[in-house]
Amino acid sequence: MHRKTMLAGGSIVLVAAMILAGFMTQQSSTPTLSGSELQTMMREQLGPAATSGALTGTIACPTSRSYSDGDVARCTMDMQSGSQVLLVATIYRTDNKWRINLDVG
């Protein structure tokens, strides 16, 4: 009986250690921003630019990947004139919020 109690106690400790290790791994992992989230953020932030002929609803970024602090994304945006511009977005994080620095390429 004593051996069964020790085995059960050891199993509980092992499970608790595994849960804690998983939690610590999640906490220490680098935050990422999905390509879809980036695209949505850019559309929302550039909405006022629509008066300059930019069709902000057409902003398209690579959505097949995620971005982390310091990554660069190359997105496109259509203009009312029929042309298309390249938006180079540098993604960074401050105060636990995603920020975007945009350049027109």
Side-chain angles (χ1 to χ4, degrees):
M1 174 100 165
H2 182 22
R3 182 180 169 118
K4 285 184 181 179
T5 303
M6 286 179 57
L7 287 175
S11 296
I12 291 170
V13 170
L14 180 61
V15 169
M18 290 171 56
I19 291 170
L20 181 59
F23 178 74
M24 290 173 65
T25 301
Q26 288 176 354
Q27 293 291 64
S28 65
S29 66
T30 304
T32 58
L33 180 69
S34 74
S36 297
E37 291 170 319
L38 171 63
Q39 192 170 266
T40 299
M41 281 179 64
M42 290 176 64
R43 287 177 179 175
E44 289 171 355
Q45 292 178 9
L46 291 176
T51 59
S52 67
L55 300 173
T56 57
T58 66
I59 293 174
C61 300
T63 57
S64 61
R65 65 166 288 194
S66 292
Y67 299 90
S68 58
D69 193 15
D71 282 345
V72 174
R74 286 169 176 72
C75 307
T76 59
M77 179 177 64
D78 294 339
M79 301 295 289
Q80 287 178 353
S81 65
S83 63
Q84 191 175 63
V85 295
L86 174 66
L87 302 172
V88 180
T90 303
I91 296 98
Y92 63 101
R93 213 168 147 77
T94 57
D95 300 325
N96 289 324
K97 293 182 183 178
W98 288 107
R99 312 278 186 197
I100 304 167
N101 184 17
L102 277 181
D103 289 313
V104 177

